[in-house]
Amino acid sequence: MSDNSQTRSRTRLGAGGLLKGAGLAWFLVATAGQWTFVWYILNVYGVTTATGNPQDWNETGVIVGYVGGDWFGNLMFAVHVLLAAVITMGGTLQLIPMLRKRVPALHRWNGRVFMVIAVVLAVGGLWMTWLREARLSDLGALGVSLNGVLILIAAPVALRLAMKRRIDPHRRWAMRLFILVNGVWFFRIGFMAWIIAMQGPVGSTPQLDGPFDLTLAFACYLLPLAVLELYFRAGRANAAAPKLAVAGLVLLLTLVTAAGIFGAWMFMWSPHL
Ligand code: HEM
């Protein structure tokens, strides 16, 4: 190998390491934010449900939470929010490579549970949105509904690929599913990061039908999915430049994610609720 090609290959290896490191940095920050979200769900919906006070669900300002006499709708809501905590926690465990290698049975079972819950949340969410009419605007509801439909596509694809032992495409689809399942979390932290950056709810209305709200209703999962595709492509690229560019983008988004988590904790999830 000539000196030149040795230097090029070393630069590529360094860039590849940086890309992986950026992905890991994002994942660690996001995991902290997702566990914070889980804490909120358990602290608010877990405690009120377990102590027999479901009417207190409404104190979070949900659109249609507890409705007196509507036992089925209330049950659906309880199942939705409580399983949301389980899937959010399970999703972070699923992506830890060490657990995957050392305890493959946990990965397999947690993965099956994750996919079943993803489908239950998407179907239940679609039911609450359109039949229980828990929506503020039709266009915003279309955003979260498309998120639900994409979950219903990605979950069986990821599962079938795992069952056929096609590990590489399985990994890619499982990561897409992870992003989709966290769409509602991205919405919350995206909203907060924006408010912090703009010093106020610019483009947002109380009905969540302002230009920013409606864009975010779709962008909260489409944008992270697009970044994930860039991450995959950069990982496969031969040159160092795309790896470095995507590593830089992911590091920048790690800061945005951290700001959004901070805002969500301060204004939505901390115990003052
Ligand atoms: C798959 C991942 C999902 C998670 C982790 C999740 C999580 C949650 C949480 C935590 C809440 C309580 C609201 C709060 O206190 O912030 C909630 C409510 C709700 N979710 Fe989901 N959700 C998911 C998917 C969906 C989907 C795909 C839809 C729609 C298609 C949906 C529709 C709803 C609706 C309508 C409510 C009630 C909101 C209200 O009345 O204000 N969810 N969800």
Side-chain angles (χ1 to χ4, degrees):
M1 212 190 270
S2 72
D3 278 1
N4 259 355
S5 64
Q6 264 184 354
T7 314
R8 264 203 306 276
S9 117
R10 239 180 275 132
T11 316
R12 206 169 49 228
L13 281 180
L18 203 68
L19 181 65
K20 279 199 179 143
L24 180 66
W26 181 80
F27 178 67
L28 290 177
V29 169
T31 297
Q34 286 173 3
W35 283 65
T36 314
F37 186 41
V38 169
W39 188 89
Y40 155 77
I41 296 172
L42 295 179
N43 182 43
V44 173
Y45 297 112
V47 171
T48 49
T49 308
T51 54
N53 294 304
Q55 68 284 354
D56 290 350
W57 295 338
N58 298 348
E59 300 204 354
T60 58
V62 280
I63 313 159
V64 190
Y66 177 81
V67 177
D70 177 16
W71 70 267
F72 183 71
N74 294 336
L75 179 69
M76 291 290 275
F77 183 89
V79 166
H80 188 85
V81 289
L82 297 177
L83 286 183
V86 178
I87 202 173
T88 306
M89 216 154 36
T92 57
L93 295 182
Q94 204 61 3
L95 293 193
I96 299 174
M98 205 176 67
L99 275 185
R100 229 162 35 217
K101 276 190 207 121
R102 298 234 173 118
V103 207
L106 175 71
H107 181 77
R108 232 171 283 137
W109 277 105
N110 191 34
R112 285 178 192 141
V113 170
F114 183 89
M115 286 172 194
V116 171
I117 297 182
V119 169
V120 171
L121 282 179
V123 173
L126 285 166
W127 181 82
M128 288 198 292
T129 305
W130 297 104
L131 296 177
R132 207 182 188 214
E133 307 211 339
R135 61 180 187 273
L136 288 171
S137 77
D138 284 354
L139 202 50
L142 272 181
V144 74
S145 299
L146 178 62
N147 189 352
V149 171
L150 292 177
I151 289 174
L152 294 178
I153 295 171
V157 172
L159 181 63
R160 273 180 69 86
L161 288 166
M163 286 165 67
K164 289 186 172 171
R165 298 283 180 274
R166 295 184 52 203
I167 298 309
D168 247 18
H170 160 69
R171 186 182 138 262
R172 281 197 297 277
W173 276 95
M175 285 167 83
R176 288 177 189 129
L177 180 61
F178 174 80
I179 296 284
L180 287 165
V181 162
N182 284 303
V184 300
W185 175 83
F186 279 117
F187 184 92
R188 287 158 174 80
I189 63 149
F191 193 78
M192 284 299 153
W194 174 258
I195 288 187
I196 290 174
M198 305 309 282
Q199 307 269 300
V202 177
S204 176
T205 67
Q207 291 298 306
L208 289 183
D209 60 356
F212 171 71
D213 305 316
L214 295 177
T215 307
L216 187 64
F218 292 87
C220 63
Y221 51 94
L222 293 178
L223 212 65
L225 275 182
V227 175
L228 181 66
E229 292 311 313
L230 287 177
Y231 183 80
F232 290 152
R233 275 164 194 257
R236 286 194 303 264
N238 280 325
K243 292 185 197 292
L244 289 175
V246 175
L249 175 68
V250 172
L251 284 176
L252 181 72
L253 291 174
T254 303
L255 292 180
V256 176
T257 304
I261 294 167
F262 171 76
W265 172 256
M266 294 302 287
F267 302 112
M268 294 198 293
W269 301 336
S270 59
H272 65 267
L273 285 172

